[in-house]
Amino acid sequence: MNTIAIVDYGMGNFHSVARALQAAAPDADIRICREASHIDNASRVVFPGQGAMPDCMRTLNESGLREAVLRAARSKPLLGVCVGEQMLFTHSEEGDTPCLDVFQGRVKRFSGPGYASASAATDETELLKVPHMGWNRVKHVQHHPLWEGIADNTHFYFVHSYYVQPSDPALTAGLAHYGVSFTCAVARDNIFAVQFHPEKSADAGLRLYRNFVDWNP
């Protein structure tokens, strides 16, 4: 049985991810896991996250699951989603927060003269609202099994104010554009991680989850 552990450390849309995975892969055994041993025993791991980075890292550390996530990152297929992608990097500007340092790089905020906070922006302004919310095209940078059956420049759904900036450009598997071109998917060895929400991205998101279930790096 293909057992998929969704890491539940208290900061993520775990049930939405579980429902999407179940729809994409009804033959898989999908479990929302709060115990390190359950993550260790799974065939593959999904690491979601949402909310502020300082809270996500604090709750991950307090949950006792940090080392289980790091073991999974070394040893089995792992899919990071949204803040779960960001947490894999070295450091986030959000709250000046140290992260897991699985990948070297930083997490940056959309900022500069072209952007406005959502509260400050109006329908008349030409400034881009932060957070970035809605559908955006994703350009494939790497050929990767998780893009199988998903056309280049397919739309995925985003909700975020921060994005990853890998130290090694070769990590980038997908790019999107919102004022600037930014990395929205990364891949190396047994890890694939995305800034967008596959569970909110209709058929393309379900296909990506199915590809993850079938992936054997």
Side-chain angles (χ1 to χ4, degrees):
M1 175 65 72
N2 195 354
T3 304
I4 304 169
I6 301 172
V7 183
D8 179 0
Y9 56 95
M11 295 289 292
N13 51 338
F14 312 106
H15 294 287
S16 296
V17 171
R19 287 192 295 269
L21 275 167
Q22 195 67 69
D27 50 330
D29 180 9
I30 297 158
R31 304 176 182 181
I32 297 175
C33 296
R34 302 176 181 87
E35 300 290 336
S37 61
H38 296 167
I39 296 167
D40 289 339
N41 292 332
S43 307
R44 56 194 67 229
V45 172
V46 178
F47 183 42
Q50 67 182 27
M53 180 64 79
D55 295 332
C56 287
M57 286 304 304
R58 176 181 53 79
T59 55
L60 177 65
N61 292 334
E62 292 174 352
S63 72
L65 300 180
R66 177 186 178 117
E67 293 305 317
V69 170
L70 291 173
R71 285 193 293 273
R74 292 191 294 267
S75 63
K76 63 186 67 178
L78 183 143
L79 175 64
V81 177
C82 195
V83 179
E85 180 210 33
Q86 296 176 11
M87 293 168 76
L88 296 174
F89 282 80
T90 306
H91 187 272
S92 175
E93 290 182 353
E94 187 174 17
D96 191 22
T97 307
C99 301
L100 294 174
D101 200 28
V102 173
F103 296 137
Q104 291 189 345
R106 56 181 178 159
V107 181
K108 296 187 63 179
R109 181 177 172 84
F110 289 114
S111 62
Y115 298 96
S117 67
S119 60
T122 68
D123 290 339
E124 289 75 30
T125 184
E126 295 182 0
L127 297 178
L128 295 171
K129 295 180 180 179
V130 180
H132 167 218
M133 298 177 63
W135 296 86
N136 205 334
R137 295 182 185 274
V138 173
K139 177 177 178 55
H140 301 172
V141 177
Q142 290 187 32
H143 178 74
H144 195 280
L146 265 71
W147 294 138
E148 183 70 29
I150 300 171
D152 194 16
N153 291 309
T154 291
H155 285 86
F156 287 88
Y157 191 81
F158 291 79
V159 183
H160 64 123
S161 300
Y162 294 80
Y163 61 94
V164 300
Q165 189 175 68
S167 298
D168 181 1
L171 275 175
T172 299
L175 289 171
H177 193 273
Y178 192 67
V180 294
S181 182
F182 68 93
T183 295
C184 67
V186 296
R188 177 172 289 167
D189 301 329
N190 59 304
I191 301 174
F192 195 90
V194 296
Q195 180 62 62
F196 53 82
H197 288 272
E199 68 280 0
K200 298 180 181 180
S201 298
D203 290 346
L206 293 182
R207 181 57 190 261
L208 189 141
Y209 276 141
R210 178 74 240 188
N211 289 343
F212 174 67
V213 173
D214 293 337
W215 181 36
N216 291 299

